[in-house]
Amino acid sequence: MATATLTLKLPFLDLNAVKGREFERLQALNTEVANGILGLPHEVRRKLTTKGFGHVEIGSAWMNQTIRNVNAQKKAKSFRRMPLETNNQGWTLHRVGDTYSVGFGLLRGVKRRIPLQVHQSKHGEVLERILSGEAKQGTPRLTRSKRGVWYACISVSWDVPDPSQTTRFIGVDRGQNHLAVAATPEGTPKFWTFARIRQIREHYANKRRRLQKAGKYKTVKRLEQKETRTVRHINHIISKEVVAYAVGHGCGMRLEDLSGIRSSKQPRGVKRNAAHNRDYWPYYDLEQKILYKAGLSGVAVEKVPPQYTSKTCCKCGAIGERQRHDFRCERCGYRGHADHNAARNIGAWLGMACLLELHVAAGGVHGTPWAG
């Protein structure tokens, strides 16, 4: 039985300014204590207990977690901010009517409940799992956004069924023309294309370049964070729909192993163009989101070598010719979309290479990711 872990980021409901300032004061105190611990020798740090911090007004469970977090940082020289965090036994979840609340003793000897805002129904479902005992609550962390909103980041884990055994797989090709292309064993395609994604990437790159020349580095950082949020949101959408596509067809999923893609060579001039430079798109982030959602849905996932998946004919296994979006096979006459052809090859991969040597035109490559 596999385990799924999810972190819920839930804002506090109608948190007044007094409580907000109190959270901020205690976080500053926690950061001060953490930096003090960091200045101690490693041998002393490892032996620290909450007994040595009885003069600090923060609760002992929270201080104990701060000690653990500091000891986990091997190379840190100082902390700008050490969030308030406690273990899974240092808080409780409650529900009154439709309102959820968390109870904890942030101050020594004082325990209070603070209500939460739950906007998404799936978050409510996860909280219900905690209350019913189906899910195990993890550590909560109190964080503050740049807009001054305080959140409770709650870690939750529960058992999910192991992926069912299957011989049917959809292949998923990730690229730049289309962010993802899936194909069923029968060849039914599904394309995920965000028409303006290249313009968005180029827009942010040009804007950062101008701001860096002007020395406005804080604005550059803000733009980078905005672009990162946009990219992650798009990856969430794609990963959710890819997994739903596999579930709808009763298939497992095969992905290309893109390890080392950033170290591979690109054509001259491409790296200077943000719209075409593959380094600008986080394929790993998309892959992790697909793996996470597939695990929750019980979808089997396999990784296959990427070599020749886009150059091999999905019909006869010969090496064909690709020109942008078009793929042609001189051997059998097949012609189709290049990314769809690659997705079919990924899904039909047999775990072997060079099974059958094919005679191709001069200058071609012998060997395919599958043959048949």
Side-chain angles (χ1 to χ4, degrees), residues 272-312:
R272 298 178 182 177
N273 190 332
H276 298 276
N277 186 353
R278 71 169 72 100
D279 293 348
Y280 275 74
W281 194 259
Y283 294 105
Y284 180 77
D285 178 68
L286 176 58
E287 179 180 299
Q288 292 303 301
K289 287 177 169 56
I290 289 175
L291 294 175
Y292 157 67
K293 291 178 173 63
L296 292 179
S297 302
V299 175
V301 181
E302 295 181 358
K303 288 187 182 181
V304 304
Q307 287 79 8
Y308 303 119
T309 53
S310 62
K311 298 179 181 179
T312 303

Side-chain angles (χ1 to χ4, degrees), residues 245-284:
Y245 190 71
V247 172
H249 287 83
C251 296
M253 194 185 312
R254 282 178 176 152
L255 306 171
E256 290 176 292
D257 185 357
L258 298 181
S259 303
I261 187 174
R262 298 198 187 283
S263 60
S264 61
K265 293 183 179 181
Q266 298 188 66
R268 182 178 297 178
V270 169
K271 273 189 169 292
R272 298 178 182 177
N273 190 332
H276 298 276
N277 186 353
R278 71 169 72 100
D279 293 348
Y280 275 74
W281 194 259
Y283 294 105
Y284 180 77

Side-chain angles (χ1 to χ4, degrees), residues 21 25 154 171 189 227 281 334:
R21 287 195 294 269
R25 182 184 71 83
I154 301 172
E227 184 179 10
W281 194 259
Y334 170 76

Side-chain angles (χ1 to χ4, degrees), residues 111-187:
K111 190 170 184 178
R112 294 177 180 175
R113 291 188 193 178
I114 303 180
L116 301 170
Q117 293 185 40
V118 181
H119 297 298
Q120 300 184 35
S121 60
K122 66 176 183 179
H123 289 171
E125 293 173 1
V126 175
L127 294 177
E128 284 297 324
R129 289 186 176 186
I130 296 177
L131 293 174
S132 65
E134 183 182 348
K136 182 181 178 181
Q137 64 185 45
T139 60
R141 174 180 291 187
L142 307 185
T143 60
R144 178 180 177 272
S145 70
K146 291 184 177 180
R147 295 183 179 181
V149 179
W150 281 92
Y151 294 85
C153 297
I154 301 172
S155 174
V156 187
S157 59
W158 65 92
D159 293 332
V160 295
D162 293 326
S164 56
Q165 297 295 324
T166 181
T167 57
R168 288 172 49 82
F169 289 88
I170 67 167
V172 181
D173 177 66
R174 289 162 289 166
Q176 293 176 284
N177 297 328
H178 300 280
L179 300 185
V181 179
T184 66
E186 295 75 27

Side-chain angles (χ1 to χ4, degrees), residues 14-31:
D14 298 331
L15 188 72
N16 59 43
V18 174
K19 289 183 180 178
R21 287 195 294 269
E22 183 69 359
F23 282 168
E24 193 166 354
R25 182 184 71 83
L26 292 175
Q27 180 176 259
L29 176 59
N30 193 52
T31 304

